[in-house]
Amino acid sequence: MLSGKRVLLVIGGGIAAYKSIELIRLLNKAGASVTCVLTAAAEHFVTPLTVSAIAGTKVYRNIFDLTDEAEMGHIQLSRAADLVVVAPATADLMAKMAGGHADDLATTLLMATDKRVLIAPAMNVRMWTHPATQRNLATLAADGILTVGPDDGDMACGEYGPGRMAEPAAIRDAVTAALTAGPLAGRHVLVTSGPTHEPIDPVRYIANRSSGAQGTALARALAALGASVTFITGPAAAKRPEGVRVVEVETARQMLDAVTAALPADAAVFAAAVADWRMASERPSKMKKTADGALPVLEFAENPDILATVSKLTEGRPRLVVGFAAETDDVTAHATAKRARKGCDWILANDVRPETGIMGGTENAVTLITAEGAETWPRMAKDMVARRLAQRIAEELA
């Protein structure tokens, strides 16, 4: 998978540095050779001896330790790799990278490299959400720096939230995506995700329980296979995927406009849980309770059918159109009928009764319905569903 590839791994000074040991092992197992640079702070969490033993290569720690520094060894070190990875990328390291600092070996080689750079941020949730860190992240993204993570989770400080470094396997996958073209290279795939919010008045809206987790996972999986992904999302709770074009919308009509603007595409996957109805006329001010207790009357209008609209295009229709069917009874039968009615190629049906825990949860159990019939997949993490579907899409478009 990564045979012959050379990775320069910069290990920053955070508790997540312990994960770098597993990352080295996974990269080596995939066939990559890994050269490591430790910051001074990193040595408080992992030892040079341990890193060197796992990597099987010399570990670099200080710019003045390079025996060939008279020949600009830090330049050679920074350019001998196919990819530079920073894991963990602490708030301090990100700030130095964004500001162009070069006051130690790690930051000097990051300034000197002519290769792509991938960072895996790791820090306290407050540090991650701090405006300064988010400004630095935006600067790095504008500079072409790739990012994987961070994840939500428990932290060493006892807090919970975004800031936990991505797991080593996810970083390895991001490295693979950065170093290999992938079966979807050159393909444009459109993905919709999340719920839509249909305003009732300025403070209320119609919505559903979709978290956007499945659509987000699918966008990541498609990008990992080399696709250029346009990710159109309603106001979902899920963190937006990195490395894709993100378009934020609120209502079904806005989502349809964004989908139309994003075409043409080789494939389109409609994972969004779009509201079927909207208010026939949005109230201009907040509705109030009346003194006599009379209940308000809400008049609804049907929203545009985005899946059917794209499926039935006569010009510019994606080669593969995939829909989702969230059902609460007769799942396969209803989804099969929906595929025929909408005119799409595939439908992924799932049972979203509250007791399944699927809508808004971390797992999914789907049945893939095609013209050939129904194929039931076992219940698995949404990331795994996404990878499996992305691979099927790649095979279909091959």
Side-chain angles (χ1 to χ4, degrees):
M1 185 165 54
L2 292 174
S3 180
K5 299 297 184 182
R6 299 164 299 178
V7 175
L8 179 62
L9 175 62
V10 176
I11 302 176
I15 187 62
Y18 79 92
K19 292 184 179 180
S20 64
I21 304 301
E22 175 66 6
L23 175 60
I24 295 167
R25 191 187 69 80
L26 291 176
L27 292 173
N28 282 338
K29 186 176 180 181
S33 62
V34 184
T35 300
C36 300
V37 171
L38 269 66
T39 65
E43 294 186 46
H44 290 282
F45 301 96
V46 291
T47 68
L49 180 60
T50 300
V51 174
S52 179
I54 299 299
T57 56
K58 179 180 178 179
V59 172
Y60 296 90
R61 303 153 60 191
N62 191 309
I63 193 168
F64 300 107
D65 288 341
L66 293 171
T67 57
D68 55 354
E69 192 51 40
E71 299 177 2
M72 300 299 175
H74 67 281
I75 302 292
Q76 297 175 24
L77 186 62
S78 71
R79 298 182 184 176
D82 297 300
L83 181 72
V84 180
V85 179
V86 184
T90 62
D92 180 62
L93 256 178
M94 288 178 61
K96 288 181 175 180
M97 291 173 67
H101 292 206
D103 58 0
D104 61 5
L105 178 57
T107 53
T108 299
L109 67 85
L110 284 164
M111 281 285 287
T113 190
D114 59 354
K115 300 302 192 297
R116 299 179 80 186
V117 177
L118 169 71
I119 65 171
M123 63 199 73
N124 169 267
V125 59
R126 301 299 177 194
M127 296 174 72
W128 173 250
T129 58
H130 193 284
T133 301
Q134 293 303 304
R135 285 196 303 271
N136 292 335
L137 180 66
T139 297
L140 294 174
D143 289 343
I145 303 297
L146 305 174
T147 305
V148 54
D151 296 338
D152 286 2
D154 293 315
M155 300 181 184
C157 60
E159 295 187 321
Y160 180 95
R164 181 185 176 94
M165 190 172 90
E167 292 304 311
I171 302 174
R172 176 206 54 200
D173 291 346
V175 169
T176 303
L179 290 175
T180 58
L184 287 174
R187 302 288 191 180
H188 176 212
V189 183
L190 186 157
V191 178
T192 68
S193 183
T196 62
H197 287 181
E198 310 296 333
I200 296 173
D201 60 26
V203 298
R204 302 180 179 91
Y205 56 81
I206 303 166
N208 58 61
R209 293 184 175 89
S210 172
S211 66
Q214 187 64 82
T216 297
L218 180 58
R220 284 198 302 260
L222 290 164
L225 294 182
S228 171
V229 179
T230 298
F231 181 71
I232 301 170
T233 179
K239 183 179 180 294
R240 306 306 184 245
E242 297 91 5
V244 307
R245 176 175 175 250
V246 178
V247 180
E248 302 273 358
V249 299
E250 182 176 354
T251 69
R253 287 175 289 179
Q254 291 170 354
M255 184 170 283
L256 176 59
D257 289 343
V259 166
T260 302
L263 294 174
D266 296 285
V269 185
F270 295 98
V274 181
D276 293 320
W277 303 282
R278 67 180 188 275
M279 289 285 290
S281 179
E282 180 184 345
R283 304 294 176 92
S285 56
K286 180 182 176 182
M287 293 186 298
K288 300 288 188 179
K289 293 180 181 179
T290 59
D292 60 4
L295 298 176
V297 176
L298 304 181
E299 295 184 11
F300 294 99
E302 192 171 352
N303 266 327
D305 191 323
I306 301 173
L307 176 60
T309 298
V310 174
S311 296
K312 296 175 181 178
L313 287 173
T314 55
E315 293 184 10
R317 183 191 189 274
R319 179 174 155 190
L320 179 65
V321 178
V322 182
F324 274 68
E327 304 290 348
T328 57
D329 56 86
D330 297 327
V331 175
T332 301
H334 283 316
T336 300
K338 179 177 179 178
R339 192 190 79 84
R341 186 171 66 253
K342 305 288 188 179
C344 59
D345 302 296
W346 298 351
I347 282 276
L348 273 89
N350 53 9
D351 185 342
V352 295
R353 288 174 298 165
E355 57 265 33
T356 68
I358 283 174
M359 183 164 275
T362 59
E363 295 183 333
N364 207 347
V366 304
T367 298
L368 174 62
I369 297 169
T370 69
E372 287 71 42
E375 176 187 322
T376 299
W377 295 357
R379 183 169 179 135
M380 63 185 86
K382 289 182 176 178
D383 281 345
M384 295 300 294
V385 172
R387 291 172 192 162
R388 189 166 177 173
L389 178 58
Q391 187 59 46
R392 292 291 287 270
I393 291 171
E395 293 167 1
E396 185 71 16
L397 296 180

